[in-house]
Amino acid sequence: MDVYTLFPTISTAFIVISAVLVGIGWGLIIKGKREAHKKTMIAAAIAAILFFIIYSSRTVFIGNTSWGGPDNLKGYYQTFLIFHIILATVAAVFGLTTLVLGFKEKYAKHRKLGRITAVIWFFTAITGVAVYVLLYILYPGGHTQAVWKVIWGY
Ligand code: HEM
């Protein structure tokens, strides 16, 4: 596996791990295990942060990969990618708010928002894996260019 595929593989794995932890954490609170819920959700947040660090450093130092599949599918891919990015951004904002509400013990609000956050995060993970499969497994061969190379015109 080359460096262009390795980092996206690791970062996608972290989204999946994070979503699985959110699922486990939800199950724990349904069983009334508050402390275990808290620890599992913090672990889910750490996995999400690791995803973001790997993803953004890859964007800066290695680059983003463009669509390598057939031209007639490019529009659909681009639309799907934007949908995934919007979901991930909303999930990040909701996730932080849910965590803060949990720490502040505002449980009624936390419970309401937590459910929405968890569902959005599940869809983020599913669409994230789909983007990964489309870009690196089904149609490999897109061009990867570092952001700083683009900026400095290398
Ligand atoms: C982003 C991370 C988190 C998510 C997505 C999340 C999600 C949820 C969900 C979905 C519920 C409602 C369960 C249900 O009734 O169906 C819930 C309840 C709860 N959460 Fe979290 N949670 C997170 C982090 C935390 C943290 C960090 C704490 C503690 C500091 C915490 C403490 C609680 C407690 C005590 C309840 C039960 C509230 C009640 O009894 O009304 N959660 N959470």
Side-chain angles (χ1 to χ4, degrees), residues 35-51:
E35 204 42 46
H37 167 78
K38 180 177 171 179
K39 283 186 183 150
T40 311
M41 290 312 199
I42 291 171
I46 292 171
I49 291 166
L50 285 174
F51 153 76

Side-chain angles (χ1 to χ4, degrees), residues 19-78:
V20 169
L21 286 171
V22 167
I24 295 172
W26 195 343
L28 286 167
I29 198 67
I30 288 172
K31 288 185 194 144
K33 295 182 178 167
R34 287 191 171 196
E35 204 42 46
H37 167 78
K38 180 177 171 179
K39 283 186 183 150
T40 311
M41 290 312 199
I42 291 171
I46 292 171
I49 291 166
L50 285 174
F51 153 76
F52 189 69
I53 293 173
I54 297 167
Y55 173 79
S56 43
S57 41
R58 174 190 98 103
T59 299
V60 173
F61 297 112
I62 300 175
N64 281 333
T65 307
S66 52
W67 174 244
D71 275 352
N72 62 334
L73 292 183
K74 192 173 174 168
Y76 294 106
Y77 168 76
Q78 225 79 34

Side-chain angles (χ1 to χ4, degrees), residues 4-5 8-9 11-13 15-16 65-70 73 77 80-81 84 124-142:
Y4 300 119
T5 319
T9 307
S11 61
T12 309
I15 304 188
V16 174
T65 307
S66 52
W67 174 244
L73 292 183
Y77 168 76
F80 190 69
L81 178 66
H84 166 71
T124 305
I126 294 165
T127 52
V129 171
V131 166
Y132 174 81
V133 169
L134 282 167
L135 206 53
Y136 298 101
I137 298 183
L138 273 185
Y139 304 110

Side-chain angles (χ1 to χ4, degrees), residues 15 18 22 41 44-53 55 83-101 113 116-125:
I15 304 188
S18 179
V22 167
M41 290 312 199
I46 292 171
I49 291 166
L50 285 174
F51 153 76
F52 189 69
I53 293 173
Y55 173 79
F83 176 62
H84 166 71
I85 292 170
I86 293 170
L87 274 182
T89 311
V90 173
V93 176
F94 277 38
L96 278 176
T97 315
T98 306
L99 278 171
V100 170
L101 289 170
L113 192 70
I116 301 168
T117 305
V119 172
I120 296 176
W121 197 223
F122 295 147
F123 279 106
T124 305

